[in-house]
C-alpha cells in the first residue's frame, strides 16, 4: 500500500496518511517510520482517542520507530471537526517529540494535522519543528 513512496514533502505525507485517518470520527494518531531514502517501512496506529482528543507520549511513538529500525519518522493525527488549527497540546507534543527524537538519533520529519475534507497543516511548515530538514 505504501511501497515506493518518498515522504519528502507535506503533500506526500498527506497522501500517505489521509487514507488511514481523514474520515475517522475519532482522533487517530499514527506514525510512519522511514528509511534513509524517506520511504515508509512501517505505519502504525499509536493511539485512538475521542472525538476531540488523543493521548500521545513520545515513548509510545519512538518504541515503534526503534523496533522498525527507522532513521526518521513522521506523525499525523486527524481532527474530525475538520478544523486544522494546532492546539497548544499539538504544539507541545511536537516540541517534546522533536527533543526525544534527537536524543534517540531519529529525525522528526513532520507532524501533520489532517482535517476531514482534504485540508491539512504541517507543523514543520508552521515553524514548530526547528531541526533542518
Amino acid at each position: 500500500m505504501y511501497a515506493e513512496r518518498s515522504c519528502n514533502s507535506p503533500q506526500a505525507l498527506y497522501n500517505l496518511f489521509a487514507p488511514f485517518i481523514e474520515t475517522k470520527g475519532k482522533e487517530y494518531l499514527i506514525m510512519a517510520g522511514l528509511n534513509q531514502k524517506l520511504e515508509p517501512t512501517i505505519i502504525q496506529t499509536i493511539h485512538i482517542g475521542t472525538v476531540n482528543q488523543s493521548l500521545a507520549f513520545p515513548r509510545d511513538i519512538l518504541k515503534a520507530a526503534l523496533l522498525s529500525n527507522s532513521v526518521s519518522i513522521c506523525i499525523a493525527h486527524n481532527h474530525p471537526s475538520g478544523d486544522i488549527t494546532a492546539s497548544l497540546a499539538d504544539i507541545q507534543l511536537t516540541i517534546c517529540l522533536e527533543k526525544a527524537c534527537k536524543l534517540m538519533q531519529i529525525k522528526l520529519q513532520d507532524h501533520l494535522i489532517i482535517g476531514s475534507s482534504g485540508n491539512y497543516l504541517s507543523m514543520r511548515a508552521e515553524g514548530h519543528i526547528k531541526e533542518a530538514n
Side-chain angles (χ1 to χ4, degrees):
M1 180 173 195
Y2 50 87
E4 298 184 25
R5 291 185 185 241
S6 181
C7 297
N8 56 5
S9 71
Q11 183 66 48
L13 292 174
Y14 168 78
N15 293 340
L16 177 70
F17 287 131
F20 294 101
I21 64 174
E22 186 170 44
T23 60
K24 300 290 187 189
K26 294 180 178 181
E27 280 202 17
Y28 278 65
L29 173 67
I30 60 176
M31 182 275 303
L34 309 173
N35 65 18
Q36 193 66 31
K37 296 178 183 177
L38 300 178
E39 300 165 335
T41 58
I42 184 174
I43 295 177
Q44 183 163 347
T45 300
I46 303 298
H47 191 264
I48 301 171
T50 64
V51 295
N52 62 355
Q53 69 177 2
S54 177
L55 296 176
F57 297 99
R59 67 176 173 258
D60 296 325
I61 297 165
L62 288 174
K63 177 181 176 184
L66 289 167
L67 291 173
S68 65
N69 294 319
S70 301
V71 296
S72 62
I73 64 168
C74 47
I75 65 169
H77 76 279
N78 63 317
H79 283 178
S81 69
D83 179 17
I84 57 168
T85 303
S87 69
L88 180 58
D90 295 335
I91 295 167
Q92 288 174 333
L93 169 63
T94 302
I95 292 168
C96 288
L97 182 58
E98 184 179 24
K99 289 177 184 176
C101 283
K102 189 172 185 175
L103 286 173
M104 300 305 294
Q105 297 177 332
I106 295 173
K107 184 172 185 149
L108 177 60
Q109 292 294 333
D110 211 338
H111 174 186
L112 292 189
I113 299 173
I114 297 177
S116 57
S117 59
N119 55 345
Y120 64 90
L121 177 132
S122 162
M123 297 297 256
R124 178 174 291 283
E126 294 293 308
H128 298 296
I129 297 174
K130 303 299 182 196
E131 186 177 322
N133 202 1

